[in-house]
Structures are given as C-alpha cells and as structure tokens.
Amino acid sequence: MLTIYSDDHRLHHGAAELYRGQLVPCFEMPSRADHVLDAVRESGLGDVVAPDRFDRTALTRVHTDDYVAFLETAWDEWRALGETGDALPYVWPARGLRRDVPPTHIDGKLGFYAIDAAVPITAGTWAAVRSSADVALTGAQRLIAGDHSAFALCRPPGHHAGARAMGGFCYLNNAAIAAQHLRDHGAQRVAILDVDYHHGNGTQAIFYDRGDVFFASLHGDPAVEYPFFLGYADECGVGAGQGANRNFPLPWGTTGPEYLAALDGAIADIAAFGPDMVVVSLGVDTFADDPISHFKLRGDDFVQIGRRIASLARPTLFVMEGGYAVAEIGVNVVAVLTGFAA
Ligand code: 6XA
Ligand code: ZN
C-alpha cells in the first residue's frame, strides 16, 4: 500500500486552542505525523511518495468558493491588524444572530466560518491545509489509476470541516474532497466509513442530501462528546440521501469487542449500499490512552478494524484524521493498515 505524505504539514503549528476555559497547547501537533510516517517506514507497508498538486476546483467541488477564499486570505487579513500570534475566532453567528451577511472584518469572518475555537490560523496554515487536501486527492487518484488501496497521511485532519466551516482542528475536509474526486472520475457510488473517535459532522453534512455517497460513522455519543451537536443515530439523510447516512454513537468506556460489534453493523450497511470504492476517515483517538477521548481500544483491536474494512473487498483510501497519544499513534495506524493488507 502506497503512503502519500508531504513535509508541508509542518507549516501548520498552532500555539493554542480553547479547551475547558483555558488556552492550552494544541493537541493537534506536527509530531503526530512524524510518528505515523516513522511507523509506516518501519512497517514495510510500501513506498512513501509526495502528493501531486491539484486544481483549486477540486476543493470547491465540496467547499464553497467564499470559504476557500477566506482560508486563502485569513492570515494576511489577521496580520494587517498588527497581530503576530495565531488567529482564533471568538464570536459565532449562533441563535438569534444573522448568518446571511458575511462580515468583512477578519474577527467576524473567523467566527462566521468556524464552529469552534479549536482552529488556529497561522502563517503557514493555508499552505499546509492545501497540501493536506493534495495528499488525499493523490491517494484518490491512485485508486482511479487502479491501486487497490492507499494511505493519505493527511495533516491537518478534515472530517469536522463542512462545506463552509472549519472546526475541531479541521479546515478542508480531505476525506470528502477525495470522495468527490472519486465520484468525478469514475466511481458511481462511494462509501465513507469514519472510525475516528469523534463524529465526522462535516463529512455527514456535506453528503447528507445525496444518495451517491454513503456515510457511516462510529463515535463517542454526542450527548457527552465533541462535536455535541451532530452524530445521533436518528440522522439518516434527507431527500435523495435518505438512508445513505448511518451513525453509531457509543458510550464512554466502549471496549474493543463492543466497538467491533458496532463496526460489523456499519460494514454490513456499506456492503448493502454497494460502493465502487471506500474512503476511510482513519482516526486512532479511539485508543485507550488517548488524552482527549474515552474509548478503550488497544493493539489487536486496530488490526481487527483493518480486517473488517478489507472484508468489503473494495478499492479503499485511508485518510488520516485524529489521534493524540503521540507516541502510540503510528503503531495504531499501522495496525489498521496492516490488518487491512493482510
Ligand atoms: C476540540 C476537540 C476536537 C476534536 C478533534 C478530533 N476541543 N476530531 O480529534 O476527530
Ligand atoms: Zn477525533
């Protein structure tokens, strides 16, 4: 299995995120990708290649043009205020406020285009974000070219980013962009399986009214877990997308066997949908020692996740999402990938 990776991810290194009343050092840090890359290299999984550069139009198939333009210029607009630290939103168009008029001041834009304050924008954020999408697109292109699988070592991650919003360390939705690219280049039906600990709210929202892209997600119950406001079991899609969305919210403390039983349900749903190709949003923050999550998966559980995905017997693109137990992130990712490849 080919891994696609770029050093450009280092250009994004936020100083702080708002977490439980404090500005704390970002959990989403460059060393995450370093550990995954090291583990891939040691595993003998396959070659590591650099991404190709794709047109901006591949991004606007999923995101709105004004949102991409915001990401492109946000840092310069922030710098023009005389600020040198990271840009962070502090006000949002929630209930009772207008969301039909995009602000022109960067402070307003940051909140308008964000769901939370876990999305610092730094000098290098756009370059890293664009490169991360290229990593996913290059992986998708490999599937189109006939590869059975590929691993897009994306950083920053993407599954919380909506068509017009950043959030939860995510700016462009790499998995959604890749899935759309597959649809635009031959695949009639694509399934996205999200095994990150957090619900992939952005991916769900992007494809919620579509019947050509199935979305299934296993995650911490949103009643008690970020992103809190999406990810319940009764969200099944609308219109043409009715029945093409499936959520498996699971309680804190979920163990490997419990998780794998739910995964069997998601795999069965995907098999019934009958996709030509599969995109996996691969987060390993389900790990028992993850510092911000509450599932209890370990070791062989990750191998079993890979095995079950392989049972779908479809060309499969793995897209890196979360995982914050930095020392173990590489081992756990490689466990899924080798479980799939075995
Ligand atoms: C914000 C928590 C963001 C969760 C990020 C993540 N305090 N998503 O891992 O998959
Ligand atoms: Zn996560």
Side-chain angles (χ1 to χ4, degrees), residues 17 19 118 159-160 168-169 196 198 226 285 292 322 324:
E17 62 175 279
Y19 182 69
H159 71 153
H160 297 304
F169 317 150
D196 186 279
H198 303 93
Y226 181 94
D285 37 11
I292 65 170
Y324 309 97

Side-chain angles (χ1 to χ4, degrees), residues 115-277:
I115 64 169
D116 61 33
V119 276
I121 290 183
T122 72
T125 295
W126 172 245
V129 164
R130 177 90 197 256
S131 173
S132 190
D134 281 334
V135 166
L137 284 160
T138 303
Q141 196 60 43
R142 295 300 301 205
L143 261 53
I144 292 160
D147 285 16
H148 180 64
S149 62
F151 173 42
L153 209 178
C154 292
R155 182 182 173 273
H159 71 153
H160 297 304
R164 210 184 182 196
M166 55 185 184
F169 317 150
C170 303
Y171 303 82
L172 293 175
N173 193 316
N174 305 308
I177 290 167
Q180 184 61 49
H181 190 74
L182 295 173
R183 278 287 293 111
D184 290 340
H185 295 87
Q188 296 303 307
R189 290 160 84 77
V190 174
I192 302 174
L193 172 64
D194 192 322
V195 297
D196 186 279
Y197 173 75
H198 303 93
H199 178 245
N201 60 285
T203 316
Q204 169 171 313
I206 286 167
F207 297 112
Y208 205 59
D209 61 357
R210 288 173 51 174
D212 58 330
V213 179
F214 188 93
F215 179 70
S217 179
L218 290 79
H219 48 266
D221 186 343
V224 294
E225 195 53 81
Y226 181 94
F228 295 108
F229 308 112
L230 209 65
Y232 289 94
D234 65 350
E235 299 157 15
C236 299
V238 291
Q242 185 72 45
N245 197 90
R246 189 79 205 273
N247 283 324
F248 296 82
L250 300 167
W252 280 14
T254 291
T255 62
E258 291 160 350
Y259 187 90
L260 294 170
L263 181 59
D264 284 339
I267 295 282
D269 288 344
I270 291 172
F273 173 75
D276 304 316
M277 296 184 181

Side-chain angles (χ1 to χ4, degrees), residues 281-298:
S281 268
L282 177 56
V284 291
D285 37 11
T286 49
F287 179 52
D289 297 334
D290 192 275
I292 65 170
S293 307
H294 298 92
F295 284 178
K296 298 284 170 232
L297 274 61
R298 285 195 183 281

